[in-house]
Amino acid sequence: MTVFWEGRPVAAQPGQSLAAALWAAGVRDLAGEAEMARGLYCGVGHCFACRIAVDGIHGVRACLIPVREGMRAGAEPGDQGDAGGSAGGSVGAGGLGASGQPGVAAAPQGDGAGPPVAVLGAGPAGLAAAAVLAEAGAQVSVLDEAPEPGGALRLVDPQRAADLAARATAAGARILCGTSVWGVYPGWRLLLAPAGPGAAGAPAELAADALILATGAVQRPLAMPGWTLPGVVAPWAALHLLRAGALEPGTRVAAVGSDPATGLAVERLRAAGLDVVAVLRPRPSPLVPQAYALAAVDLAPQHDRLGIAFLGGRRLEGVRTCAPDGTGQADVAVDLAVAGTGLSPLTDAAQLAGATVAAVEALGGFVALHGPAMESRAPRLFVAGAVTGAEGAEVAEAQGRVAGLACAAACGLLGAGPGVHARRTAAAADLDAAHARAAARHPSAAVGRAEIARRWAAQLPGTP
Ligand code: FES
């Protein structure tokens, strides 16, 4: 198919994002005449660095929009900052205005007779929770800005992501991809909007008896000179481009990072025939902490030099390196750089909804506190997945099942028989086992979980 960039025809493959199609066509700088070049960075809708105008609508994130025949895209006129973008950078962010405003209709509920439950985030945690709830009889709506369900898991293990989505759908859950949630109000009422042109639906309000927040995590940027140059991407963006068939074998790549997601990206890029010419450590800095990601791939044995700057004018041309003691600077020409420093939980919606959020650095930064059933301190509000600390998809999925069961019980869907108790006990045991495996890979994860348990207990009524 053909799309247009600044009036010029660009070949695109069905299923590609517009960002991937433009990348494959050699378009890196999406900023037009703006003073600062920018392009694809996070690849999952979090950073807004890829915002452009599409079919007359401004602030569209090119990484979230699937290509359509004849789509006309271009840089936004001038440097418009974040004008025209959706209010939140992610599912669940926002909180503007009040419901009932003109043009906001009630979103249709599912066909079931059970209580309506909303799940924010269609990653492994949200999909697992949705399946449990829908099987228990709830009318489940799963909301996500991405064009497909699965969260980052669809970039790492697409089959597992598809299986989780299929199970939730088969149980009766509605998965509303391409949907931004820009308001969260107690009760629960959510304000929804299409995530971009071509996304289904109009602005709408969704009422739910219970809410599960599975909003995931964001990739931390690498604070290193030149990191905003088009051509420098976070690990998930590299996987996004690879999955979309937008990367040419033989492309020269540098990686700068110590986190498992960068390691996974390097492994996949090499397997696809790209030429990874440098794997570098970031310069030691308090801004570059270690954190967790989705795979147990470590880069440490490959590091022998530091990356100290990305080089280029309006797109990446190389990376500057040096020895660990700062001597022996050398520049390496590359066309793509992967820069990763780990994940930070995405807690905007949790804060809006009234969950307690606290800094637990061992789990990536501010996390949503929760009890053993993934309950928050707000009534009928549950949290699951990387919003509680990024420990990988297995932990997220297990947390989603525990949260789904607890939510179903809170909604009166499970009863109180011994079978229910056994099922919840088994789900809790699965989660404990998943945590133990994560802690075996990253011992500080256990420290982080203990910190969450301590802080949760400290905020309970009656705690001295
Ligand atoms: S929002 Fe598209 S690259 Fe970050």
Side-chain angles (χ1 to χ4, degrees):
M1 67 173 62
T2 302
V3 300
F4 295 87
W5 172 253
E6 301 288 7
R8 180 166 63 85
V10 169
Q13 303 302 318
Q16 278 183 325
S17 69
L18 183 54
L22 293 174
W23 185 287
V27 178
R28 298 286 186 278
D29 184 2
L30 305 177
E33 300 299 313
E35 188 177 335
M36 187 175 125
R38 57 177 166 75
L40 179 79
Y41 178 69
C42 73
V44 288
H46 290 153
C47 73
F48 280 71
C50 67
R51 66 189 183 275
I52 55 176
V54 178
D55 294 337
I57 298 178
H58 290 253
V60 176
R61 283 161 286 175
C63 68
L64 289 184
I65 301 301
V67 290
R68 290 192 318 277
E69 180 64 41
M71 180 180 255
R72 306 192 80 85
E76 296 186 300
D79 186 5
Q80 301 202 3
D82 60 0
S86 70
S90 62
V91 144
L96 306 177
S99 64
Q101 58 190 276
V104 176
Q109 299 288 359
D111 296 331
V117 176
V119 178
L120 269 65
L127 292 173
V132 167
L133 278 157
E135 286 162 1
Q139 300 177 69
V140 183
S141 300
V142 186
L143 310 158
D144 200 299
E145 287 189 322
E148 301 171 70
L153 184 62
R154 76 183 194 281
L155 303 172
V156 175
D157 186 349
Q159 188 57 55
R160 183 65 189 155
D163 290 347
L164 288 170
R167 182 179 166 193
T169 303
R174 291 188 313 157
I175 302 177
L176 301 174
C177 286
T179 302
S180 294
V181 178
W182 55 280
V184 178
Y185 298 90
W188 299 95
R189 298 194 329 272
L190 309 178
L191 300 185
L192 318 180
E205 178 177 327
L206 180 74
D209 287 3
L211 182 58
I212 293 186
L213 300 177
T215 47
V218 294
Q219 300 165 102
R220 298 186 206 229
L222 172 58
M224 174 168 140
W227 75 273
T228 59
L229 279 172
V232 180
V233 301
W236 290 347
L239 296 173
H240 174 132
L241 293 171
L242 196 57
R243 185 171 175 231
L247 296 177
E248 288 286 330
T251 299
R252 288 173 61 84
V253 181
V256 186
S258 298
D259 63 312
T262 302
L264 179 67
V266 166
E267 186 180 86
R268 298 278 175 94
L269 293 172
R270 281 189 169 136
L274 281 82
D275 187 9
V276 182
V277 296
V279 178
L280 306 160
R281 269 186 292 146
R283 189 194 291 261
S285 156
L287 297 175
V288 185
Q290 298 294 317
Y292 305 103
L294 295 172
V297 179
D298 273 311
L299 278 174
Q302 302 183 34
H303 289 150
D304 57 355
R305 291 178 66 82
L306 305 184
I308 54 175
F310 297 111
L311 310 172
R314 290 195 72 92
R315 64 183 283 173
L316 177 73
E317 295 169 11
V319 60
R320 179 157 297 157
T321 76
C322 71
D325 64 1
T327 62
Q329 285 193 10
D331 296 347
V332 181
V334 293
D335 301 313
L336 169 67
V338 181
T341 60
L343 303 176
S344 287
L346 190 51
T347 57
D348 315 47
Q351 294 177 68
L352 277 174
T356 305
V357 168
V360 179
E361 189 53 42
L363 289 170
F366 283 89
V367 303
L369 297 186
H370 58 84
M374 307 311 297
E375 73 275 24
S376 78
R377 69 173 185 174
R380 294 194 175 195
L381 176 69
F382 300 84
V383 294
V387 68
T388 73
E391 280 189 88
E394 184 194 11
V395 168
E397 196 181 319
Q399 286 183 328
R401 283 193 292 272
V402 169
L405 285 168
C407 183
C411 292
L413 292 169
L414 288 189
V420 170
H421 178 73
R423 197 173 164 204
R424 294 186 67 177
T425 301
D430 284 349
L431 176 54
D432 287 344
H435 278 313
R437 285 188 285 274
R441 294 192 300 271
H442 302 289
S444 59
V447 175
R449 289 295 158 195
E451 176 69 7
I452 287 180
R454 187 188 68 75
R455 289 182 178 236
W456 173 259
Q459 68 165 10
L460 294 178
T463 302

